[in-house]
Amino acid sequence: MPRVPSVGLSPTSRPQFQAPGVVSYQGNPLLQQAAQTGARMQKIGQVVGQIGIQVEDKINDARAREFANTFENGVNKLFLEYKQKKGKEGVDGLADFQKGVQELYDGSSPMLMNDAQRTLAKPISDRIRSRADLNSQSHYLEASAQYEQTTNLQSQIVLADSIIANPDNPDSLVQFGRLNNLFLQEARSQGMDDDQAQVFALSKRDKLFESVVTSALDSEDPDRIAGVEALMGQLPEGVMSQTQRQSLDQLVQKKSRDSQAIQWAAGIMQQDSTYADAFDLIAEKAKTDPKMAEAWLEQLNKFTSAREKAEKEER
């Protein structure tokens, strides 16, 4: 079967056929331009929207920071005022400080205009509140310790005055126990361990009994002197230091001898006994109690000298 030659013909060079009366559509230029303009406007809108969001974010951030600065400055001012309060005022002032912080927060909150600003401000204000709470609690503990120490010292003064005024009062023993506990509390509040606290309390007790003894001796009241002498004899070991006990014992004994010697010499003067007779009594006393004999002689000489002076003035 004969074949049709295809030399010189290719698929691309073959003629294209088109239906009669049909024209190829190339697009409406006006519509294309409108579509392009719309796309550009959409992009511009997106950019403008992003810029608006960024501006709004900056405004929200600035307003949140302004609120935080206002709140923090107010809290710092409140804390400086609270920090000036010491002791009982510091203890009582904590509640007022906390109330002031809440009122300051409530008063500053209207600065936040929307939820975004409130959301941004919350973690900052929480940190400010937390720091203020820690600082105020620290000062409260310090003020509480000061108040407790002040109360302790005031109680010590009251108890010590009562014991010094009436050392032989039956209640003095109970008061002394309470006072010693206050000594130990004072020591521990200063950070001392048990051994140091005991030494501290011992030094306080030494001072207490020194005051008890000197107050009684200075009164020149024979009954008080006798009472404090009996007290010193009844005190158990360890209540005061050995050195202080020896020192106070010597004071009490000397004062007791002087008091008895004054009474003895006054009796001699009232009896109109001669100096020689009195001296004989002193010599006899010296055999059993040399110190008392010495006190008798001292007081006899004072009374004799005073009587002679009075007689001369009458002449």
Side-chain angles (χ1 to χ4, degrees):
M1 181 177 181
R3 301 176 63 182
V4 179
S6 58
V7 177
L9 297 176
S10 68
T12 57
S13 64
R14 293 172 185 173
Q16 302 295 316
F17 298 95
Q18 181 174 319
V22 178
V23 180
S24 178
Y25 179 74
Q26 300 297 322
N28 190 323
L30 293 177
L31 293 177
Q32 289 181 352
Q33 183 178 2
Q36 293 173 353
T37 301
R40 285 196 299 270
M41 292 301 294
Q42 184 178 5
K43 290 182 179 179
I44 292 173
Q46 291 176 348
V47 172
V48 171
Q50 291 176 351
I51 294 174
I53 292 173
Q54 292 175 357
V55 170
E56 185 177 0
D57 287 345
K58 290 182 178 179
I59 292 174
N60 289 338
D61 185 68
R63 182 55 61 92
R65 289 184 179 279
E66 182 182 2
F67 161 81
N69 288 336
T70 300
F71 181 51
E72 184 173 26
N73 290 336
V75 169
N76 289 340
K77 183 178 179 181
L78 286 175
F79 180 68
L80 286 176
E81 294 173 355
Y82 174 53
K83 197 174 182 180
Q84 301 304 313
K85 298 179 179 179
K86 308 295 183 182
K88 188 175 186 301
E89 287 188 353
V91 173
D92 296 340
L94 178 61
D96 291 337
F97 171 75
Q98 293 172 334
K99 180 181 178 182
V101 171
Q102 184 60 46
E103 290 176 348
L104 182 63
Y105 178 82
D106 294 339
S108 303
S109 293
M111 296 175 62
L112 303 173
M113 307 300 294
N114 55 48
D115 290 341
Q117 294 175 8
R118 285 186 281 272
T119 299
L120 289 170
K122 187 177 186 308
I124 303 175
S125 62
D126 286 346
R127 286 196 298 271
I128 295 171
R129 282 174 173 271
S130 178
R131 185 165 60 249
D133 185 59
L134 290 174
N135 289 336
S136 63
Q137 288 294 335
S138 176
H139 181 66
Y140 172 83
L141 292 175
E142 180 181 346
S144 179
Q146 292 171 343
Y147 178 48
E148 183 178 349
Q149 186 78 332
T150 299
T151 303
N152 181 310
L153 294 175
Q154 290 174 343
S155 299
Q156 286 185 33
I157 292 172
V158 172
L159 290 171
D161 286 347
S162 178
I163 294 172
I164 291 169
N166 300 287
D168 53 349
N169 188 314
D171 292 336
S172 292
L173 182 60
V174 176
Q175 292 173 339
F176 174 76
R178 291 173 55 195
L179 184 56
N180 190 60
N181 287 336
L182 292 175
F183 292 158
L184 293 173
Q185 289 175 13
E186 181 186 359
R188 293 188 178 106
S189 71
Q190 297 178 15
M192 299 183 191
D193 60 28
D194 288 342
D195 290 339
Q196 292 171 330
Q198 291 296 339
V199 173
F200 177 83
L202 179 62
S203 67
K204 285 269 194 172
R205 294 196 299 270
D206 279 355
K207 292 179 181 178
L208 170 67
F209 283 109
E210 181 179 358
S211 297
V212 169
V213 169
T214 55
S215 176
L217 300 185
D218 291 344
S219 71
E220 301 292 347
D221 182 343
D223 291 336
R224 287 191 65 185
I225 294 173
V228 79
E229 184 178 17
L231 174 66
M232 293 296 294
Q234 296 169 3
L235 290 177
E237 293 294 330
V239 172
M240 72 179 78
S241 66
Q242 192 63 32
T243 302
Q244 182 73 315
R245 176 184 283 274
Q246 292 174 353
S247 175
L248 294 181
D249 279 343
Q250 290 174 2
L251 283 176
V252 170
Q253 291 168 9
K254 183 179 186 306
K255 194 69 176 183
S256 179
R257 286 194 300 270
D258 290 344
S259 178
Q260 293 179 40
I262 290 172
Q263 291 178 326
W264 176 83
I268 292 295
M269 293 295 105
Q270 291 175 354
Q271 296 172 10
D272 288 332
S273 298
T274 64
Y275 187 88
D277 291 339
F279 191 83
D280 289 341
L281 294 174
I282 294 173
E284 189 65 26
K285 186 67 173 177
K287 297 176 181 178
T288 57
D289 192 346
K291 290 186 177 180
M292 181 61 75
E294 183 179 350
W296 280 8
L297 178 60
E298 180 182 358
Q299 295 302 325
L300 176 64
N301 288 336
K302 287 182 178 180
F303 272 86
T304 301
S305 177
R307 185 170 62 181
E308 291 176 351
K309 181 179 180 182
E311 290 174 350
K312 287 182 180 179
E313 290 177 352
E314 289 179 359
R315 296 172 188 171

